[in-house]
Amino acid sequence: MPSTVLLGAQWGDEGKGKITDLISSDYDYVVRYQGGNNAGHTVIHGDTKLALHLIPSGVMYDHITPVIGNGCVIDPKVLVEEMDMLQGEGFSCDRLRISCDAHIIMPYHIDLDGASERHLGKHKIGTTKRGIGPAYEDKISRCGIRVQDLLDEKIFREKVEAALFLKNQILTKIYDLEPYTVDQICEMYLPYADVMRDSMRRCILDEGKRLDGRKTTDIRPIWCEVSPLPMPHGSSIFTRGETQSLSTCTLGTKMDEKLVDDVLERGYQRFLLHYNFPPFCTGEAKAQRGVGRREIGHGHLAWRGLKGQIPEDFPYTVRLVSQILESNGSSSMATVCAGTLALMDAGVPMKAPVSGIAMGLIKNPGEEKYAVLSDILGDEDHLGDMDFKTTGTPNGLTATQMDIKCDGLSFEILEKALMQAKAGREHILKCMMETISEPRKELKPQVPRIVQIEIPKEFIGAVIGPGGKIIQQMQEDTGATITIDEADGVGKVQVSAPNKDAIDAALGKIKAIVAIPEVGEVYEGTVRSIMPYGCFVEIMPGKDGLLHISEIDWKRLETVEEAGIKEGDKIKVKLMEIDPKTGKYKLSHRVLLEKPEGYVERERRPRGERGDRGERRPRREGGERRDGRRENREHREPRDFNDSLDHNNDF
């Protein structure tokens, strides 16, 4: 766009204002980018002389938009007086635009300017004593008060109070002047806020032009990057205009779940999101304290927008951290976008990618005209009537949050806001997909590997062991982390380790514990104990069977030691039988040996019939004891059955 720049030779009266007014008819905008009401020029319109100090030249042309830029310092009183003067002469100031970042000249600036000039005496610099210099000093020192601060009474009071702490000391102790109070300044300046607010709102309503020159539906430029950090399991940078989020994703095991224990529920969360809003992201230099209400609320909104897209069967605990590096607009929506990119970079199989946008509204009471703003700035949030945040996938919304300053919204406005937000989210999502279109197929090498299996419910205790002895020993032997939960009538076992070998070793031990021995199978067991009648062999972890002395060898053995078997020896055995009542295992080693030639199985003597052993002796009557005494059952005290209860199972 062609432009013309006028430069003066610093003579103080070169006529820059007059020349600007003269040539401004050929332009659409006249922008004043620096200075204050110390400057001035006279414009003759017919028989009327108009003296302008703040408002740019060309304001009397109907097609020109005069702009007071962010490099200017504004005395609100002078600005309002000039606007009233122009309107009294029949010239409209509705086209006047004022930057929210322009600094305000305060009463103490004027006092300090005059006192300093008097103090210099013959070395005075010839200042206009209108506070221009002290206002610029605060601007450079980043402690000045801007137009946008004036529009929010709470912020304005806080900044005035902070400024007066130092300014009052200079006024009273150095220059012997009267101090100011916060209420005095607020009473003087807050009425001017409406004038400036109306000027900014009219620009949007009448011309559809926003503070940064965008149309109402435009989205600020977007820039994305994934894996900017090498060590996190996933990372991303998302930048939209002057809002930037650096997000990291870390994948952990079930041991990293967050315990939620409140009044109404108790459970665990597998998706965690931390939202950090340091002071430097808004240009402030102050200590960072604990997490405030704002951080909690914005972080929870982003968490709600993303959590539904994490698959329920994803075995990892996911921790997402968003660090806001710069903020002018919705940082929570930037967190959603950056979080999506970081999750996909980490290989989390999201159901669908999520993007977010903040919508605004300008609507004056009693007017039908309104404007819905996409991707609002911080100033538009201050000046506007709505902050409507929406997050969603291509398939629909995942979370919403709305703050409004007006009395309510019509269905027409709400529908327009939702449809405009949908178009904005799709545009943002398209930019994100150009960076990374789908979750990575492979996890990064530094991500711990996790395998999940299910075991029968009755084997949970066997895997854990008495006092956790068995599971702790398995973790020590393999280097893997093992967790067990009971859900849906089965045991869900999760094994995690930094490498595949450790996982395989842990799974092998667990499967051995939960395996059910089969009759006819051959096992290599370990001799656990020696008995006179045989030995007990562990064929699986926690499963011992009896190897009877007659089943060790084909020849007759008087002792187990004759076979050379000792505790701790490895021996192959075959499972011959499982007792259906007791569940005991009957093992044999001799069936695995070659049968000697000519071996004849020794016949076992069959059990005799009861009648062959003689008649049973007649039962003693009356409970007669062997010592001849008779037990009197009639006079026994009745038994209390409660005494026989096993109280060891009481809860």
Side-chain angles (χ1 to χ4, degrees):
M1 183 175 65
S3 305
T4 300
V5 180
L6 292 178
L7 298 176
Q10 294 296 318
W11 292 340
D13 191 15
E14 302 107 332
K16 296 187 297 293
K18 295 181 176 63
I19 295 297
T20 300
D21 189 76
L22 179 64
I23 65 174
S24 59
S25 60
D26 298 330
Y27 295 88
D28 297 321
Y29 290 86
V30 176
V31 182
R32 183 172 183 188
Y33 67 91
Q34 59 87 32
N37 57 300
N38 56 332
H41 66 279
T42 301
V43 177
I44 299 176
H45 183 77
D47 297 331
T48 306
K49 290 186 178 180
L50 303 176
L52 301 178
H53 299 278
L54 267 175
I55 298 178
S57 301
V59 67
M60 287 167 281
Y61 292 103
D62 294 335
H63 68 282
I64 287 180
T65 300
V67 179
I68 299 177
N70 61 340
C72 297
V73 289
I74 301 173
D75 188 328
K77 181 181 178 184
V78 175
L79 177 63
V80 172
E81 289 176 350
E82 284 192 18
M83 294 174 66
D84 291 341
M85 180 265 295
L86 288 170
Q87 291 173 352
E89 295 294 333
F91 301 104
S92 174
C93 293
D94 292 342
R95 300 183 310 278
L96 176 64
R97 306 293 176 252
I98 304 170
S99 172
C100 286
D101 290 325
H103 281 244
I104 297 176
I105 299 175
M106 306 299 290
Y108 47 77
H109 289 145
I110 300 173
D111 290 349
L112 290 172
D113 196 11
S116 175
E117 186 76 353
R118 291 192 299 271
H119 180 73
L120 291 174
K122 65 179 182 178
H123 300 293
K124 62 184 180 180
I125 59 177
T127 176
T128 59
K129 303 177 183 179
R130 295 177 180 178
I132 311 299
Y136 272 112
E137 289 178 4
D138 284 357
K139 176 182 173 70
I140 300 300
S141 301
R142 297 185 178 184
C143 61
I145 299 175
R146 297 174 295 177
V147 170
Q148 60 181 305
D149 301 326
L150 181 61
L151 303 177
D152 191 315
E153 182 176 351
K154 181 182 177 186
I155 295 176
F156 184 71
R157 283 183 172 274
E158 290 176 353
K159 292 203 169 186
V160 169
E161 184 177 7
L164 290 181
F165 177 77
L166 177 62
K167 303 300 182 184
N168 278 340
Q169 295 188 60
I170 299 175
L171 289 172
T172 57
K173 296 181 180 180
I174 297 179
Y175 298 117
D176 197 24
L177 298 175
E178 292 295 323
Y180 288 95
T181 66
V182 176
D183 291 337
Q184 281 179 318
I185 294 182
C186 288
E187 186 178 352
M188 294 167 58
Y189 275 67
L190 286 178
Y192 299 127
D194 294 335
V195 178
M196 298 186 181
R197 183 182 293 108
D198 291 342
S199 174
M200 298 172 194
R201 291 169 62 93
R202 294 284 1 145
C203 178
I204 298 174
L205 286 175
D206 297 339
E207 301 182 25
K209 294 182 179 180
R210 301 162 64 175
L211 297 176
D212 56 354
R214 287 183 292 153
K215 298 179 180 179
T216 56
T217 58
D218 288 348
I219 310 296
R220 289 174 291 174
I222 296 173
W223 170 74
C224 309
E225 182 182 349
V226 294
S227 295
L229 304 177
M231 288 310 297
H233 303 157
S235 61
S236 70
I237 293 178
F238 178 84
T239 306
R240 186 183 61 242
E242 296 176 317
T243 302
Q244 185 176 76
S245 170
L246 171 64
S247 292
T248 59
C249 177
T250 307
L251 305 180
T253 66
K254 191 174 181 62
M255 304 293 291
D256 301 314
E257 290 182 340
K258 177 183 177 182
L259 172 62
V260 180
D261 188 4
D262 57 26
V263 178
L264 300 178
E265 65 173 328
R266 177 184 171 89
Y268 292 89
Q269 288 183 358
R270 292 174 47 250
F271 175 56
L272 314 176
L273 190 146
H274 303 276
Y275 168 89
N276 298 323
F277 194 84
F280 68 77
C281 72
T282 54
E284 297 179 280
K286 64 180 183 181
Q288 188 169 1
R289 307 294 182 187
V291 179
R293 181 179 62 87
R294 183 185 186 281
E295 286 81 1
I296 294 174
H298 284 62
H300 190 70
L301 173 62
W303 175 81
R304 287 192 289 114
L306 292 170
K307 72 180 181 74
Q309 305 308 310
I310 309 294
E312 295 180 359
D313 58 350
F314 189 60
Y316 291 91
T317 298
V318 182
R319 182 174 185 252
L320 196 65
V321 179
S322 173
Q323 191 80 8
I324 304 302
L325 305 182
E326 187 180 14
S327 179
N328 183 12
S330 180
S331 54
S332 61
M333 297 298 96
T335 296
V336 171
C337 299
T340 296
L341 296 173
L343 289 169
M344 292 197 295
D345 182 52
V348 178
M350 299 182 66
K351 299 176 183 178
V354 185
S355 61
I357 191 171
M359 308 297 294
L361 175 69
I362 303 294
K363 188 179 187 308
N364 292 326
E367 292 187 23
E368 295 184 359
K369 185 183 294 185
Y370 66 91
V372 177
L373 312 179
S374 297
D375 183 24
I376 59 174
L377 302 168
D379 295 339
E380 292 171 336
D381 187 10
H382 283 298
L383 299 172
D385 302 308
M386 180 181 72
D387 182 10
F388 183 27
K389 298 181 177 69
T390 66
T391 68
T393 68
N395 303 319
L397 297 176
T398 58
T400 62
Q401 178 180 295
M402 177 183 288
D403 298 323
I404 57 174
K405 303 174 186 177
C406 53
D407 294 334
L409 300 178
S410 65
F411 285 106
E412 178 188 356
I413 295 176
L414 185 58
E415 181 183 10
K416 182 176 177 62
L418 287 170
M419 297 307 296
Q420 196 167 313
K422 180 176 182 294
R425 290 199 320 273
E426 291 175 348
H427 170 76
I428 296 171
L429 193 60
K430 181 182 178 182
C431 297
M432 295 165 56
M433 294 301 99
E434 292 174 355
T435 303
I436 180 170
S437 59
E438 61 182 8
R440 299 191 187 278
K441 301 299 183 182
E442 297 292 333
L443 302 176
K444 294 185 178 180
Q446 61 266 37
V447 178
R449 268 47 182 177
I450 295 180
V451 176
Q452 286 184 321
I453 62 172
E454 293 183 355
I455 63 174
K457 177 182 177 181
E458 56 270 19
F459 286 104
I460 294 178
V463 175
I464 296 175
K469 182 179 179 181
I470 294 178
I471 192 171
Q472 291 174 6
Q473 188 64 45
M474 286 192 294
Q475 293 183 116
E476 183 178 347
D477 295 341
T478 63
T481 300
I482 305 172
T483 60
I484 304 178
D485 281 331
E486 182 184 339
D488 302 328
V490 297
K492 296 184 180 293
V493 183
Q494 187 180 94
V495 182
S496 60
N499 55 75
K500 187 175 182 298
D501 293 339
I503 291 179
D504 291 342
L507 289 176
K509 291 179 177 293
I510 295 171
K511 291 178 179 179
I513 295 175
V514 302
I516 300 176
E518 297 182 9
V519 176
E521 290 292 325
V522 178
Y523 301 93
E524 185 175 7
T526 303
V527 179
R528 293 302 184 190
S529 60
I530 305 288
M531 298 295 176
Y533 50 83
C535 61
F536 286 94
V537 181
E538 185 183 51
I539 58 176
M540 289 182 177
K543 296 178 176 61
D544 296 346
L546 174 63
L547 177 62
H548 195 269
I549 192 171
S550 63
E551 296 292 337
I552 296 177
D553 205 338
W554 290 104
K555 65 181 181 181
R556 180 180 177 87
L557 300 174
E558 295 296 332
T559 62
V560 176
E561 286 79 2
E562 290 183 29
I565 297 176
K566 306 182 297 296
E567 289 187 10
D569 287 352
K570 299 289 186 179
I571 185 171
K572 286 188 176 182
V573 294
K574 184 176 182 180
L575 180 59
M576 304 300 295
E577 182 183 350
I578 301 176
D579 192 299
K581 293 182 179 181
T582 63
K584 295 181 178 179
Y585 306 125
K586 180 181 178 181
L587 308 176
S588 176
H589 175 68
R590 72 171 187 172
V591 299
L592 303 177
L593 304 176
E594 185 177 355
K595 190 174 184 179
E597 186 177 352
Y599 177 83
V600 179
E601 189 76 31
R602 184 164 58 101
E603 294 185 4
R604 298 180 181 270
R605 185 176 62 185
R607 293 185 177 182
E609 299 291 335
R610 185 175 295 276
D612 298 337
R613 292 182 288 168
E615 297 294 330
R616 178 181 292 178
R617 287 179 294 179
R619 189 172 183 177
R620 297 185 296 274
E621 297 186 7
E624 185 177 349
R625 299 173 53 146
R626 293 187 180 184
D627 57 4
R629 292 180 293 172
R630 188 179 181 89
E631 184 179 6
N632 188 353
R633 297 182 181 270
E634 284 102 0
H635 296 88
R636 292 178 63 187
E637 294 291 331
R639 187 176 181 185
D640 188 357
F641 288 97
N642 291 328
D643 294 339
S644 66
L645 294 177
D646 184 8
H647 296 284
N648 293 330
N649 295 324
D650 291 349
F651 294 98

